[in-house]
Amino acid sequence: DIQMTQSPSSLSASVGDRVTITCRASQSIVKFLNWYQRKPGKAPNLLIYTASRLQSGVPSRFSGSGSGTDFTLTISSLQPGDFATYYCQQTYSTPWTFGQGTKVEIK
Amino acid sequence: QVQLQESGPGLVKTSETLSLTCSVSGDSMNNYYWNWIRQPPGKGLEWIGYIYYSGTTNYNPSLKSRVTISVDTSKNQFSLKLSSVTAADTAVYYCARLAGTLGHPEGFDPWGQGTLVTVSS
């Protein structure tokens, strides 16, 4: 199985901050990396697919980059509704696997 | 706008079979891959497996011996059965559609709201 490692596991930030979350795969997954946002009690919501493509309806302050084994999710200016847990996922090969999550909290 | 909704018992006894159904509304099931994912309390997300609308399946090897996913396109539903459950199978279970194709997957979208299944004796 491909292991996905996110860092940090949690972070504290203020509204307006630029936030960066990284995800590393245990082997190359080319560009097949997706990012999700999950708020308490709700299902994950797809933000970014194939590393850098913004899902329809997702604000442009979210962006993704990377290829191979190293990927980044960036929130350019953190908004109150962005406090949530973020997960990366590889869909390069089954079993598809997720990172352990990064919790973004209010400073 | 496609919507997914999980249904099934919230409590299952140890050693019995967990059964859940995902109802799909707002679109046909045709030409898509339909997935089950779970998240045990305090742990990460785990992909359980998928079924193509035509019936082809792919399961996570960690669960393969106990999992069966089936589809009924006439009812716009697909189902999960997990046999011989233990407390370790207690989790929120989600269904989700794979966007894109197997050759160019674009993530899971949308997801159902999730349903908590507790395994207890």
Side-chain angles (χ1 to χ4, degrees), chain A residues 11 13-17 19 21 37-39 47 58-59 61-62 73-86 102-106:
Chain A
L11 64 90
S14 301
V15 172
D17 284 353
V19 170
I21 299 168
Q37 176 194 67
R38 200 182 65 182
K39 297 181 180 179
L47 299 175
V58 174
R61 63 181 179 272
F62 292 93
L73 173 70
T74 298
I75 309 172
S76 60
S77 178
L78 199 65
Q79 297 302 300
D82 299 339
F83 293 95
T85 301
Y86 294 84
T102 296
K103 187 173 184 179
V104 177
E105 298 176 301
I106 301 173

Side-chain angles (χ1 to χ4, degrees), chain B residues 15-51:
Chain B
S15 80
E16 296 191 344
T17 296
L18 178 159
S19 296
L20 295 174
T21 295
C22 182
S23 298
V24 180
S25 60
D27 197 2
S28 165
M29 296 189 71
N30 291 350
N31 302 311
Y32 285 104
Y33 291 84
W34 303 92
N35 296 264
W36 287 99
I37 305 104
R38 70 179 183 177
Q39 185 166 32
K43 296 190 176 182
L45 292 159
E46 179 180 35
W47 173 74
I48 298 170
Y50 69 62
I51 188 163

Side-chain angles (χ1 to χ4, degrees), chain B residues 35-78:
Chain B
N35 296 264
W36 287 99
I37 305 104
R38 70 179 183 177
Q39 185 166 32
K43 296 190 176 182
L45 292 159
E46 179 180 35
W47 173 74
I48 298 170
Y50 69 62
I51 188 163
Y52 193 46
Y53 79 101
S54 61
T56 301
T57 56
N58 188 332
Y59 302 139
N60 192 321
S62 68
L63 297 167
K64 188 173 183 176
S65 63
R66 299 192 292 130
V67 170
T68 302
I69 300 176
S70 58
V71 65
D72 186 340
T73 55
S74 68
K75 294 182 178 180
N76 253 33
Q77 293 177 340
F78 63 108

Side-chain angles (χ1 to χ4, degrees), chain A residues 1 31-32 34 36 38 41-46 49-50 55 87 89 91 94-96 98-99, chain B residues 35 37 39 45-47 50 58 60-61 94 98 102-109 111-113:
Chain A
D1 299 5
K31 61 178 180 178
F32 295 105
N34 311 303
Y36 300 88
R38 200 182 65 182
K42 297 208 168 183
N45 181 47
L46 180 65
Y49 61 93
T50 54
Q55 176 69 351
Y87 295 90
Q89 176 210 22
T91 44
T94 59
W96 296 324
F98 294 85
Chain B
N35 296 264
I37 305 104
Q39 185 166 32
L45 292 159
E46 179 180 35
W47 173 74
Y50 69 62
N58 188 332
N60 192 321
Y94 297 97
L98 178 70
L102 273 191
H104 197 277
E106 297 177 350
F108 293 164
D109 182 71
W111 296 57
Q113 66 182 24

